[in-house]
């Protein structure tokens, strides 16, 4: 009886030792930190790739904003320069003769733009001015870039400064945008010019803005 118990205890101890050896063997074969190094390396590579991609996108966005800001500042700078001009008595009187006389005069465009601002249609003048500047460009790469900016700012239906153009002119612009030239917006510029001449110019002639200018220059003529 005693020998049987002793034999059973020996078998239990042998089983326990084998179980302990089986669980500790993988831990001995595995180098410290080896498993973590693999996952960390993958994570590191992924983070690096992600960071590089994000950095590239941010740089491209920054360059795009800088290009757009540079072009907007140039266009706005010309408009602001015109706003600083003071018209002569002769110029103000000529504006009343025709819309062409008004638009050919920088001070006239400035006064008319201020009037359009009160009617919430200043984008028509801004678009016309942008087209005037654009038509003078000769560099192909610059033409393509500025054509896209003008399209996004004044032609796109998503823009808050979208100008009113009929479907025919929009189709012409869309075709022209495939290979932009300095004449891409000629039809649109003419249509906006005609719109301002027909709708806005008569109201400008009867507006307090123009009447005050007439009064001011009349007083200057009397004093002189």
């Amino acid at each position: 009886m005693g020998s049987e118990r002793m034999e059973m205890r020996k078998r239990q101890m042998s089983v326990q030792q084998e179980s302990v050896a089986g669980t500790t063997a993988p831990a001995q074969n595995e180098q410290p930190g080896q498993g973590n190094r693999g996952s960390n390396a993958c994570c590191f590579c992924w983070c690096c790739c992600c960071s590089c991609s994000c950095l590239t996108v941010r740089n491209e966005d920054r360059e795009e904003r800088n290009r757009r800001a540079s072009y907007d500042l140039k266009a706005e700078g010309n408009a602001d320069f015109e706003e600083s001009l003071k018209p002569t008595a002769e110029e103000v009187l000529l504006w009343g003769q025709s819309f062409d006389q008004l638009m050919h005069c920088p001070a006239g465009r400035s006064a008319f733009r201020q009037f359009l601002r009160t009617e919430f249609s200043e984008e028509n003048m801004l678009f016309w001015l942008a087209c005037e500047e654009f038509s003078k460009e000769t560099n192909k790469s610059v033409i393509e870039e500025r054509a896209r900016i003008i399209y996004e700012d004044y032609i796109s239906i998503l823009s808050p400064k979208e100008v009113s153009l009929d479907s025919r002119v929009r189709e012409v612009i869309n075709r022209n945008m495939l290979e932009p030239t300095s004449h891409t917006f000629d039809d649109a510029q003419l249509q906006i010019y005609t719109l301002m001449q027909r709708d806005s110019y008569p109201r400008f002639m009867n507006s307090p803005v123009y009447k005050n200018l007439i009064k001011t220059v009349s007083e200057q003529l009397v004093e002189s």
Side-chain angles (χ1 to χ4, degrees):
M1 186 74 174
S3 61
E4 292 180 355
R5 288 181 178 178
M6 184 66 68
E7 187 66 26
M8 289 179 63
R9 176 167 293 185
K10 288 180 178 180
R11 286 200 297 270
Q12 289 175 352
M13 291 179 64
S14 176
V15 171
Q16 290 176 355
Q17 290 175 355
E18 290 177 356
S19 175
V20 171
T23 56
T24 58
Q28 293 174 353
N29 292 333
E30 183 179 350
Q31 296 298 326
Q34 182 175 1
N36 293 335
R37 184 181 299 115
S39 60
N40 288 340
C42 294
C43 180
F44 176 76
C45 293
W46 182 86
C47 290
C48 286
C49 293
C50 179
S51 299
C52 291
S53 299
C54 292
L55 182 60
T56 300
V57 171
R58 287 197 296 269
N59 287 338
E60 290 176 352
D61 289 343
R62 187 180 297 111
E63 291 176 359
E64 168 65 18
R65 289 195 298 269
N66 289 339
R67 286 195 298 268
R68 179 181 291 273
S70 177
Y71 179 69
D72 288 345
L73 283 174
K74 186 175 182 180
E76 289 293 334
N78 291 338
D80 291 340
F81 171 74
E82 290 184 351
E83 285 195 0
S84 66
L85 298 176
K86 293 183 178 181
T88 64
E90 181 182 3
E91 287 174 336
V92 174
L93 295 175
L94 285 174
W95 301 347
Q97 295 181 8
S98 72
F99 185 62
D100 290 341
Q101 293 282 1
L102 173 71
M103 292 295 284
H104 285 153
C105 176
R109 292 193 296 266
S110 170
F112 188 53
R113 180 188 174 192
Q114 293 179 36
F115 168 74
L116 292 177
R117 193 176 297 160
T118 65
E119 292 200 332
F120 304 100
S121 57
E122 184 185 12
E123 67 276 1
N124 290 333
M125 177 62 78
L126 293 176
F127 172 68
W128 188 87
L129 291 171
C131 290
E132 281 292 286
E133 189 70 26
F134 175 74
S135 64
K136 302 173 186 175
E137 187 57 59
T138 57
N139 186 296
K140 184 177 180 181
S141 61
V142 175
I143 286 175
E144 292 177 352
E145 180 180 353
R146 290 188 176 179
R148 179 178 54 81
I149 292 175
I150 291 176
Y151 187 94
E152 292 176 354
D153 284 349
Y154 301 106
I155 309 300
S156 172
I157 60 175
L158 300 178
S159 173
K161 297 186 292 184
E162 178 195 5
V163 295
S164 179
L165 299 171
D166 61 34
S167 58
R168 180 193 66 81
V169 172
R170 286 184 175 277
E171 289 176 3
V172 171
I173 293 176
N174 289 333
R175 288 197 301 268
N176 291 342
M177 287 297 293
L178 298 176
E179 294 184 8
T181 69
S182 58
H183 301 288
T184 294
F185 301 104
D186 283 0
D187 288 353
Q189 185 183 17
L190 177 59
Q191 188 167 99
I192 293 302
Y193 187 92
T194 304
L195 176 66
M196 291 190 294
Q197 181 180 28
R198 185 183 66 245
D199 293 344
S200 302
Y201 175 65
R203 291 196 297 272
F204 172 70
M205 289 292 98
N206 293 316
S207 70
V209 174
Y210 185 68
K211 289 180 178 180
N212 288 337
L213 282 172
I214 289 291
K215 180 180 179 181
T216 301
V217 297
S218 299
E219 292 174 352
Q220 291 174 355
L221 290 174
V222 172
E223 291 175 359
S224 62

